[in-house]
Amino acid sequence: MSLVHTFAIALHILFAAAWFGLGLALPSLARAAASGGAPQAGRVITMMNASIVLFYGFAVLNWVLGMRLGFELQYNLWPYHTSMTLGLVLVLVQLFVIRPGWNALVAGDVEKGRKRIGMGIGIGHAVWLGIFVLMYIGRGVVGA
């Protein structure tokens, strides 16, 4: 069971990093798509949608497995619950700000699409970094 938990943590981190990296490429892809280039750029949004949902799914799985393995002290503190809430915010930003912004951009409303994408990426990266910092609270790096 602990090996499954370790594997779930690794996948959680992998999908979080994938979303972050794809988000870094999105503004330049949006500029290219707005000018008629990058016909396959929509795949990045699809990959971002999948990676953020999998990121959150593995976060929930980590909590369930961690509780079964006896990590109640780590998983029932405010930093973990705050991270889970921020993770859900990140999923919602992706699905209800970034993706609709991309849809508006490719539908021809370039200005609205670029603004929503920029806003969504900015909020998303800030939330992602907040979650990243919360991982270290109470783990010997920053006091809880």
Side-chain angles (χ1 to χ4, degrees):
M1 180 82 92
S2 63
L3 185 60
V4 174
H5 183 245
T6 301
F7 188 65
I9 289 171
L11 289 173
H12 167 71
I13 293 168
L14 173 75
F15 289 119
W19 183 88
F20 192 87
L22 290 167
L24 292 175
L26 194 58
S28 63
L29 290 173
R31 281 191 298 277
S35 64
Q40 300 297 323
R43 289 184 178 182
V44 171
I45 293 294
T46 302
M47 289 187 290
M48 287 178 76
N49 291 344
S51 65
I52 204 64
V53 169
L54 289 168
F55 150 82
Y56 196 72
F58 280 108
V60 172
L61 180 61
N62 287 330
W63 183 78
V64 170
L65 292 172
M67 294 297 284
R68 292 197 53 148
L69 288 170
F71 296 129
E72 293 90 3
L73 293 177
Q74 292 91 342
Y75 288 124
N76 272 336
L77 292 175
W78 71 267
Y80 196 84
H81 292 285
T82 304
S83 292
M84 291 295 288
T85 303
L86 289 174
L88 184 57
V89 167
L90 188 54
V91 171
L92 295 174
V93 165
Q94 173 65 35
L95 298 179
F96 295 108
V97 179
I98 297 171
R99 186 187 62 183
W102 183 266
N103 292 342
L105 183 116
V106 296
D109 195 351
V110 174
E111 191 61 29
K112 177 183 175 186
R114 287 181 70 183
K115 284 181 180 179
R116 289 194 76 165
I117 290 169
M119 178 180 63
I121 291 297
I123 293 169
H125 281 155
V127 169
W128 190 97
L129 287 170
I131 294 168
F132 182 76
V133 169
L134 286 170
M135 287 190 318
Y136 293 100
I137 293 180
R139 298 187 189 273
V141 179
V142 180

